[in-house]
């Protein structure tokens, strides 16, 4: 089991090529580097002082194309490191909002009174203090986006900010790490180059688009399966910017993600996402037209190929024959439909597991308080009700502090609902004795556990049926490679495969990794 889990982890991670200096890295590697930087900057010695003093804590500067995910990883990092986050797009600010407004202060020097110009606290610095007060998080990240696209009047202030960690006369609070981001000059005419003095005081990370890394994020964010399968076929359209006589034409990861959410909502409303709508998000006419055509075909294949029927174990020979003769795009679309349905099941299983884990923690707390309580003074239902109220308080704090995302917040909400149901049922059953109350609650949890195991069994059966179909329709073709790669990419599928022993997955995955390594070796030898 241990070796199997390690094999899945290796397959899902792949080989990471770490580049030094100012060579570009993907967004995943940049995230790891920033987290490592935060860990180093916030490490304290035995006297409670930061081992790296603030003056030596170089601001991190991310340089990369628009829409690649710079802002999203800052939110993820803040949650995962459990620190605060204040984010500003500096191009929306003037010198006054960044530095503060001037006022006259009267001071005495050498026995004489002088009028001295001082400045109110910067809005940005004040926001950091507000965040500390609101969340109780004394350490965090001050993220300044588009820092190299500021106006001429604000440029000196930004240089001072990076060099001295101050806005005007006000310093960034100790324990708050500066991360800035900007676009390369080829993406924005307003870009200003930093001088050597500034560059010598920052930690610069150049980011390049990486479709394979983005897919990991995309599966977690429920990016529409049509987009996922389309980008498997047209990876060159993932992130592209072209300069023409008519201006910039572009498609970015942000554009794909926003388009995905609109498509999903349109499907719920019964509306059609046509070429005009696609073009509002993918501002590249050729790509917008191509994807709109593909999306129409995707819906057609969704009707023609009954994926639920396939995953239930019914494989029709005529369907396999049709697919073998179908164009490549059609075969890839069906592969994507299978992956999407399987992934939905894996995600639901993951949600069930996370819900049970949080629920178990609350029930353990209930048992601890129950054992120490005077049952005549405090009924078991009241103890559980108090625990539910405390959980809700934690949920609200995490949400308002930015320490939980929507998915995590929903898990807290679900467990809170379960606790409320249990309280009402305990009152209806008049459960007053400690042992009776605990045995009843434990039984409720065991029913959840049984449902989880049943769901895991169903997911395993559907995965086996999917492999049956893939083998019957595609043998060992490229579609099977894409299918296995998709299983390696999704977080929920990787977690499932750590626990479920799918022989064909490991066999095909081993062959896939071997072929990839062999091709890489040939490329190296060819050079």
């Amino acid at each position: 089991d241990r070796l199997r889990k390690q094999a899945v982890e290796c397959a899902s991670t792949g080989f990471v090529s770490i580049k030094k200096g100012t060579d570009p890295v993907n967004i995943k590697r940049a995230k790891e580097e920033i987290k490592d930087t935060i860990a180093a900057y916030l490490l304290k010695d035995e006297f409670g002082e930061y081992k790296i003093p603030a003056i030596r804590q170089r601001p991190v500067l991310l340089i990369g194309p628009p829409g690649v995910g710079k802002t999203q990883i800052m939110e993820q990092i803040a949650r995962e490191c459990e620190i605060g986050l204040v984010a500003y797009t500096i191009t929306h600010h003037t010198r006054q909002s960044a530095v503060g407004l001037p006022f006259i202060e009267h001071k005495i020097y050498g026995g004489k009174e002088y009028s001295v110009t001082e400045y109110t606290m910067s809005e940005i610095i004040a926001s950091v203090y507000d965040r500390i007060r609101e969340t109780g998080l004394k350490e965090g990240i001050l993220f300044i986006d588009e820092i190299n696209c500021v106006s001429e009047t604000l440029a000196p202030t930004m240089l001072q900010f990076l060099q001295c960690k101050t806005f005007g006369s006000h310093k960034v609070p100790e324990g708050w790490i500066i991360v800035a981001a900007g676009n390369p000059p080829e993406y924005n005419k307003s870009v200003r180059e930093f001088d050597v003095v500034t560059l010598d005081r920052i930690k610069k990370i150049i980011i390049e688009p990486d479709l394979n890394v983005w897919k990991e994020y995309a599966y977690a964010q429920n990016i529409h399966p049509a987009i996922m399968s389309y980008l498997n076929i047209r990876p060159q359209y993932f992130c592209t910017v072209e300069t023409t006589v008519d201006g910039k034409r572009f498609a970015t990861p942000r554009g794909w993600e926003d388009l995905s959410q609109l498509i999903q909502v349109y499907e719920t409303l019964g509306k059609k996402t046509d070429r005009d709508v696609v073009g509002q998000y993918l501002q590249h006419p050729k790509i917008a037209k191509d994807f709109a055509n593909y999306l129409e075909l995707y819906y057609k294949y969704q009707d023609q190929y009954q994926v639920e029927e396939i995953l239930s174990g019914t494989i029709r020979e005529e369907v396999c024959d049709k697919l073998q003769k179908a164009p490549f795009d059609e075969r890839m679309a069906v592969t994507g439909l299978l992956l999407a349905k399987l992934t939905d099941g894996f995600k639901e299983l993951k949600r069930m597991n996370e819900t049970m884990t949080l629920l178990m923690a609350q029930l353990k707390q209930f048992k601890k308080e129950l054992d120490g309580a005077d049952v005549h003074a405090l009924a078991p239902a009241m103890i559980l009700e108090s625990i539910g109220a405390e959980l809700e308080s934690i949920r609200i704090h995490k949400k308002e502090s930015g320490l939980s995302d929507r998915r995590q917040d929903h898990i807290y909400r679900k467990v809170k609902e379960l606790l409320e149901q249990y309280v009402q049922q305990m009152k209806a059953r008049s459960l007053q004795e400690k042992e009776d109350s605990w045995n009843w609650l434990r039984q409720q949890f065991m029913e959840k556990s049984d449902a989880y195991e049943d769901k895991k069994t169903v997911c395993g059966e559907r995965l086996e049926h999917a492999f049956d179909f893939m083998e019957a329709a595609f043998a060992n073709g490229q579609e099977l490679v894409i299918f296995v790669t998709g299983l390696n990419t999704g977080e929920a599928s990787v977690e499932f495969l750590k626990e479920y022993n799918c022989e064909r997955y490991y066999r095909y995955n081993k062959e896939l990794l071997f072929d990839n390594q062999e091709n890489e070796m040939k490329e190296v030898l060819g050079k």
Side-chain angles (χ1 to χ4, degrees), residues 296-420:
E296 188 172 339
L297 289 172
Y298 184 88
Y299 288 136
K300 175 183 174 183
Y301 302 146
Q302 202 171 37
D303 295 334
Q304 288 182 350
Y305 298 96
Q306 298 299 316
V307 173
E308 281 296 337
E309 184 179 78
I310 293 170
L311 295 179
S312 298
T314 302
I315 301 176
R316 303 184 186 279
E317 186 176 348
E318 61 271 20
V319 172
C320 295
D321 290 341
K322 180 182 177 182
L323 264 182
Q324 289 173 358
K325 301 172 184 177
F328 179 69
D329 287 11
E330 184 171 343
R331 300 199 302 270
M332 291 297 296
V334 174
T335 302
L337 285 166
L338 282 171
L339 273 172
K341 285 293 184 181
L342 286 173
T343 300
D344 287 344
F346 297 146
K347 287 179 179 177
E348 176 60 27
L349 191 68
K350 179 177 170 64
R351 282 192 293 270
M352 292 175 69
N353 183 53
E354 291 174 340
T355 301
M356 288 175 56
T357 299
L358 183 58
L359 177 61
M360 180 184 291
Q362 308 315 303
L363 296 185
K364 284 183 177 179
Q365 181 64 25
F366 169 79
K367 183 68 165 62
K368 180 180 178 181
E369 294 186 19
L370 184 69
D371 290 342
D374 183 350
V375 72
H376 298 293
L378 195 61
M382 293 178 64
I383 296 175
L384 191 61
E385 193 170 23
S386 175
I387 289 172
E390 178 63 23
L391 181 69
E392 176 67 3
S393 177
I394 294 172
R395 181 193 72 81
I396 292 172
H397 172 73
K398 283 181 171 288
K399 182 178 181 180
E400 293 181 348
S401 302
L403 297 179
S404 65
D405 57 17
R406 181 178 292 187
R407 179 183 62 81
Q408 294 164 337
D409 186 64
H410 288 177
I411 297 297
Y412 272 81
R413 288 175 180 267
K414 178 63 178 177
V415 173
K416 176 63 166 54
E417 290 174 2
L418 287 172
L419 293 178
E420 289 175 345

Side-chain angles (χ1 to χ4, degrees), residues 197-224:
V197 174
T198 303
L199 291 173
D200 196 35
R201 286 176 167 84
I202 63 173
K203 181 173 182 176
K204 185 178 179 181
I205 301 176
I206 299 177
I207 304 172
E208 64 181 357
D210 189 318
L211 176 58
N212 291 328
V213 168
W214 184 79
K215 284 179 184 178
E216 298 179 32
Y217 169 81
Y219 278 117
Q221 296 298 317
N222 296 316
I223 298 298
H224 196 281

Side-chain angles (χ1 to χ4, degrees), residues 61 90-91 144-150 158 161-162 180-182 194:
L61 176 61
I90 201 63
T91 50
I144 306 295
D145 198 9
E146 299 186 14
I147 195 167
N148 58 348
C149 297
V150 296
M158 290 300 99
F161 169 65
L162 290 176
F194 292 125

